[in-house]
Structure formats: structure tokens, C-alpha cells
Amino acid sequence: MRMVPRGGRLFLATCLGSLLVLVLYFQSVTKPEPVVKTGSRPGKSRRSPLQTLYNGDQLELLAAQRSLHGRRELLEQACLSHTRKRRVLSPEDLKHLIVDDKHSLIYCYVPKVACTNWKRVLMVLTSDGRYTDPLAIPANEAHVAGNLRTLSEFSTPEINRRLRSYLKFVFVREPFERLVSAYRNKFTRRYNTAFHKRYGTKIIRQHRPDPEPEALEKGDNVTFHEFVQYLVDPRTQREEPLNEHWERVHSLCHPCLIHYDVVGKYETLEPDAHAVLGLAGVEGMLQFPTSGKSTRTDGNMAARFFKQISPFYQKKLFNLYRMDFLLFNYSTPEYLRTR
Ligand SMILES: *[C@@H]1O[C@H](CO)[C@@H](O)[C@H](O)[C@H]1NC(C)=O
Ligand SMILES: *[C@@H]1O[C@H](CO)[C@@H](O)[C@H](O)[C@H]1NC(C)=O
């Protein structure tokens, strides 16, 4: 087992500490600045998405907004009761926040929660007309770093200005459905050799008794049980952060430090995406692509995979993902056996 010596870690921490940028912004901004007039049409004003949300008069959005408002309040309460210390954000925390300056939007992407399609939509929105159809953008292109700007690229005042005045949204999903989806996608598909090599070999080395040499070399055929053992092993997070595909939303998007205006859910992807595009004032310009893959979760996928997991590990896994359950109002799964 490799470990960073204590002195080395302290030194690292000091270096990182000196790079920390104070990101200060008011958490409870509910009154955005006055309506900005657009130059092109005198007398006519355009609301920013944030203004539309908080001074909303778009009747058709009201019902959707009530449930979005409920989720926001629940998140705020859950943050108050379950997080102790508040800390300051560093640019490193903002790498998942994608910025659309044209429509005043900030989107925190969470893998396995329709993030490819959201990235495609944001590429259309920020492309100055180069793209018009989200689905015409190849999936791999949507994930190329540099095609979209993230909040971490800006200076502190520029970060704070955007956090204050943009509509910030995130999409979440039932944590274990998301986890099982990540496992199936990354470990049970023959073509995902990069993940097998990067994570599979390590998981097999550490968690399979008497592994075959071929398995040790290729990292193929990791079982869900082995994957779970890897996740809850204290060594795993000591060595490096969890991969974004199974990292918790709480750690990717910092929902107790960043005041998200809209918390969308994968389980209600279509209406929630529609509401966000409505707030951005672009619902006539493009539709959120929900066709192709079914976004409905049958609710049994995770249950089936959890059958292979002992109560001991189920409990550890639940503790690992507990904050995501609490913050986003997902109830403890009925299939869960913790004793
Ligand atoms: C939280 O979840 C419960 C149970 O599923 C539901 O009845 C309630 O409406 C949810 N609350 C919010 C604010 O979404
Ligand atoms: C993985 O499983 C497949 C199908 O059962 C098998 O053909 C292959 O040899 C296995 N790979 C390794 C490295 O064990």
C-alpha cells in the first residue's frame, strides 16, 4: 500500500491553502438586480432567468415552479440540519459548473444524470448559431473539455458576479440507481477498456481472492460486489477522489455552499428540463432531447443488484451516499437490508 508521508501531505495542504481563493457571495439572494433593458428594442425589457424565477409571471410555469420551490426549501433545510461547518469555495470546487454567459445560466453536471444531453443543449445555447440541434452533436464532442466554459476558469470577482446573478441548476437522481447505472456502464460493457484498465485492475487486485492473471491485467468482469467493496474501502478515498461517475452529487456540486435555484430530477427529467429552458426563455428555440434512451427508472434495477450485497456492505454503502439521499429527498430504498 502506498501512502503519502505525513510531512508530504502537510506540505501539499499548505500549497493548496495558499491557492485558495475567497469566493464570497450572498447565499440567500432572492432579489436579483433590476430588470436590464436590452439595447435593441427600446421600451422592451428582457428578464434574466433568475428574475423570471423569482418574479415569475409566466403562468404555465407556476405549477412546476411550486414543486421546484419545495425542493429548494427542503435542500436548504437539509443543509442546515446535516452540515456543521460552512467553508469557502475554491476554484477546484467549481470545475463541474458550466457557464452560459448568453443566457445567464450555470449548470452543475452530474454524470449518469442526462449530463451528455445537458452539455449538448448548452453547446447549442452558447454556440452563436453554429449548432441548432442538440442531437446532431456527437456525444464524445459534448464531453471535450474546452467546448464549454466552467466557472473555475474565471477570476474571483467574475465568479462571484455570475453566482449572484445567474440561474444555477443541477439535475440529480436516486443515488443507488445512479450508482448501478455507472457500474453497468463502466464495468459490464466490453468496450469500456479504459475504465477496466484504470479501475478494474485495481479493484480485482484488492478485492478478489486468487484472481486470474488475465483478470489482473485487463480488469474485466468486475462484479458489483467487488465494486461496492472498493467504494467503501477507506483506502479508496485516501488515495484519490472518487471518479465523477460514482462521486456523490454533494461532493461534485456543493449544494450546501452554492445556492441552486433549480434542482431538477432525472425521475421527472422532461418537465424539469422544460421548466429550466422556459426560465432561460429558449423553450421555443430548442427542445431537451429525451428521446432515444428511456429515462424512466423501473426502480428495480438497483434492487436486483443489491441482492448480491450483504447487509454489512449495504449499510456502509448507504452511509457513503447518505447525504445525497437526505439533501435531495430520496427515501431509504425498501429493499435495503442494513442488519
Ligand atoms: C419529499 O418526498 C416525499 C416522499 O416521497 C414527498 O411526499 C414530498 O412531496 C417530497 N418533498 C419535496 C419538497 O419534494
Ligand atoms: C470476462 O468474462 C467473459 C465472459 O464470461 C470471458 O469470456 C472473459 O474471458 C472474461 N475475462 C477475464 C479477463 O476474465
Side-chain angles (χ1 to χ4, degrees):
M1 184 170 64
R2 283 173 297 112
M3 289 243 325
V4 182
R6 200 158 174 78
R9 239 201 262 161
L10 256 177
F11 174 69
L12 235 169
T14 318
C15 289
L16 286 175
S18 62
L19 284 176
L20 277 190
V21 177
L22 277 185
V23 176
L24 302 163
Y25 86 105
F26 298 101
Q27 186 69 9
S28 51
V29 192
T30 45
K31 289 210 186 82
E33 284 106 77
V35 176
V36 183
K37 297 233 198 287
T38 52
S40 54
R41 278 188 229 147
K44 239 196 149 182
S45 53
R46 186 179 157 265
R47 287 171 187 274
S48 78
L50 199 59
Q51 289 158 344
T52 308
L53 178 65
Y54 290 108
N55 317 324
D57 51 13
Q58 299 188 350
L59 282 174
E60 78 273 20
L61 283 177
L62 279 182
Q65 276 180 17
R66 261 197 299 277
S67 81
L68 296 180
H69 182 74
R71 275 183 218 159
R72 220 165 47 230
E73 293 214 314
L74 191 140
L75 173 59
E76 216 158 290
Q77 277 310 314
C79 286
L80 282 176
S81 15
H82 299 292
T83 55
R84 261 168 258 125
K85 261 193 292 188
R86 296 188 48 83
R87 62 179 186 87
V88 160
L89 290 163
S90 70
E92 186 69 9
D93 295 324
L94 306 171
K95 287 199 310 204
H96 273 244
L97 275 70
I98 293 172
V99 174
D100 172 4
D101 280 330
K102 286 178 73 173
H103 302 89
S104 305
L105 300 173
I106 291 175
Y107 161 59
C108 184
Y109 76 91
V110 178
K112 308 318 296 174
V113 193
C115 89
T116 306
N117 280 339
W118 270 116
K119 286 181 177 179
R120 285 170 161 149
V121 164
L122 283 155
M123 280 176 73
V124 170
L125 290 178
T126 56
S127 76
D128 285 311
R130 200 153 66 87
Y131 298 113
T132 51
D133 175 12
L135 287 178
I137 302 171
N140 59 338
E141 195 161 324
H143 294 293
V144 171
N147 277 350
L148 290 162
R149 300 200 74 179
T150 65
L151 199 56
S152 56
E153 298 168 31
F154 294 92
S155 68
T156 305
E158 286 295 294
I159 290 171
N160 287 329
R161 180 176 69 73
R162 286 173 174 79
L163 282 172
R164 266 197 302 271
S165 59
Y166 286 11
L167 181 92
K168 299 169 291 299
F169 69 100
V170 59
F171 271 72
V172 301
R173 178 176 183 178
E174 204 278 335
F176 287 161
E177 292 291 331
R178 174 171 169 248
L179 183 67
V180 166
S181 166
Y183 165 74
R184 296 178 70 214
N185 182 239
K186 299 303 174 205
F187 293 108
T188 70
R189 306 275 188 267
R190 210 169 275 262
Y191 56 78
N192 253 327
T193 49
F195 267 82
H196 298 180
K197 194 95 193 153
R198 171 82 167 77
Y199 294 100
T201 53
K202 184 174 177 177
I203 293 173
I204 289 169
R205 194 171 68 242
Q206 294 183 337
H207 299 288
R208 184 177 298 176
D210 297 325
E212 301 283 335
E214 194 197 355
L216 276 174
E217 197 215 328
K218 291 189 177 154
D220 291 346
N221 303 342
V222 167
T223 66
F224 187 61
H225 182 248
E226 289 164 345
F227 179 54
V228 169
Q229 284 184 297
Y230 162 79
L231 288 172
V232 304
D233 187 334
R235 282 175 295 180
T236 301
Q237 287 192 72
R238 228 183 281 144
E239 282 167 14
E240 59 181 342
L242 295 179
N243 179 274
E244 62 176 16
H245 290 85
W246 44 87
E247 178 60 283
R248 296 142 296 183
V249 180
H250 179 238
S251 304
L252 293 177
C253 298
H254 310 285
C256 292
L257 298 172
I258 293 167
H259 179 87
Y260 287 98
D261 303 291
V262 175
V263 177
K265 292 199 163 179
Y266 190 76
E267 293 79 8
T268 48
L269 179 60
E270 225 172 304
D272 292 356
H274 185 73
V276 170
L277 296 181
L279 289 166
V282 296
E283 76 270 54
M285 172 183 153
L286 88 174
Q287 262 207 324
F288 189 83
T290 46
S291 57
K293 238 189 324 183
S294 168
T295 58
R296 260 170 299 143
T297 32
D298 58 12
N300 289 326
M301 186 62 77
R304 280 209 297 283
F305 279 83
F306 269 69
K307 285 214 178 82
Q308 318 163 19
I309 308 299
S310 69
F312 176 79
Y313 280 108
Q314 290 199 12
K315 189 173 188 165
K316 279 181 173 272
L317 199 61
F318 186 65
N319 283 337
L320 187 63
Y321 288 90
R322 197 164 153 267
M323 280 305 271
D324 280 4
F325 278 96
L326 292 172
L327 296 179
F328 305 114
N329 196 30
Y330 287 108
S331 49
T332 312
E334 276 169 20
Y335 56 77
L336 204 71
R337 296 172 295 142
T338 54
R339 67 173 98 219

